[in-house]
Amino acid sequence: MMKIKALPDVPRWAALAAHAVPLIVLPSGIWRIALTLGLPVARVDDPGFAQNVYQIVLTVVGELLAFLTLGLVRSWGEVFPRWIPFLGGRAVSPRGATAAALGGATGLVALIGWFTYVALAGIGQNAAGTHTDGPVQDALFYACYLPLIAWAPLLAAVAVAYYRRRTGVRSGAALVGAPDASSCV
C-alpha cells in the first residue's frame, strides 16, 4: 500500500484529500500546455506569444496553489520553513491558514459558478478565442476540466480538518462563531 506523507495526527481521509488536489488540477494544466504546444486539443483563432505565456503561467500558478493544500496536512503548514524571510521558524496561525484556504475554496466556487453560467447562457459562443472542433475534442476538454469541480470541496474539507486539529475544536460551533454551551447562562 502506498504511504501518504502527512503528520501523524492528520486523519487519513484529510491526507488523501489534500494529496488528491494537485492531481485533479493536473489534467487541465496538461490540456493548456498541449494547446500551447500546438497539439490538436482545440482550435485557437489567434495563437500569439502573449496567449502562450498566459496559458503556461496559469498552469504553473494553478498547480502551485493546489500544492498549498498539502501544507494543511504537513509540517510546513504548522511552522513556516526557515528559508522564508521574516517568517521562517514561526508558527503558522491556524485561523490565518484556515481563512486563506476557505477563502480560496469560496473563490473556486465563485469561478465554477461563473463558468457554468457562461456555458449554459451561451455567452461568447461565437467569439474569437479557443474552440473545440468535434466530439473528441469536447470529450477531452471535459475530461480535463470537470475534475476541477472537486477542488473547492476537497480544499474546504481539509481546511476544516486542519482547523479542528490545530485548535482542538471537535464540533463545528467554534467555526461559525456560535457561543459555547457554558457561555449561554
Side-chain angles (χ1 to χ4, degrees):
M1 179 183 228
M2 186 173 81
K3 179 151 172 61
I4 299 294
K5 193 173 182 182
L7 293 170
D9 57 342
V10 173
R12 180 153 175 81
W13 69 264
L16 289 171
H19 283 79
V21 169
L23 296 175
I24 63 171
V25 174
L26 189 60
S28 62
I30 291 172
W31 186 90
R32 283 189 299 273
I33 290 171
L35 184 67
T36 301
L37 295 175
L39 297 175
V41 294
R43 175 178 47 87
V44 181
D45 292 337
D46 186 22
F49 179 74
Q51 181 179 358
N52 290 340
V53 169
Y54 166 74
Q55 289 172 167
I56 297 298
V57 168
L58 180 61
T59 298
V60 170
V61 168
E63 203 59 45
L64 288 174
L65 289 173
F67 270 107
L68 284 177
T69 308
L70 294 175
L72 299 173
V73 299
R74 297 219 180 142
S75 62
W76 51 273
E78 295 188 2
V79 178
F80 287 105
R82 294 229 177 259
W83 57 268
I84 297 177
F86 307 110
L87 295 175
R90 293 186 185 191
V92 174
S93 164
R95 286 185 183 211
T98 305
L102 292 177
T106 302
L108 289 168
V109 168
L111 281 173
I112 290 167
W114 172 252
F115 288 122
T116 302
Y117 167 72
V118 166
L120 294 176
I123 296 173
Q125 236 171 7
N126 296 319
T130 303
H131 308 282
T132 53
D133 291 329
V136 173
Q137 286 183 350
D138 283 342
L140 181 61
F141 176 80
Y142 289 122
C144 290
Y145 274 87
L146 281 179
L148 290 176
I149 294 172
W151 189 359
L154 288 175
L155 177 57
V158 174
V160 170
Y162 170 85
Y163 183 83
R164 287 179 176 175
R165 181 174 53 84
R166 292 285 314 276
T167 61
V169 173
R170 294 294 171 218
S171 71
L175 287 176
V176 294
D180 292 334
S182 62
S183 64
C184 293
V185 179

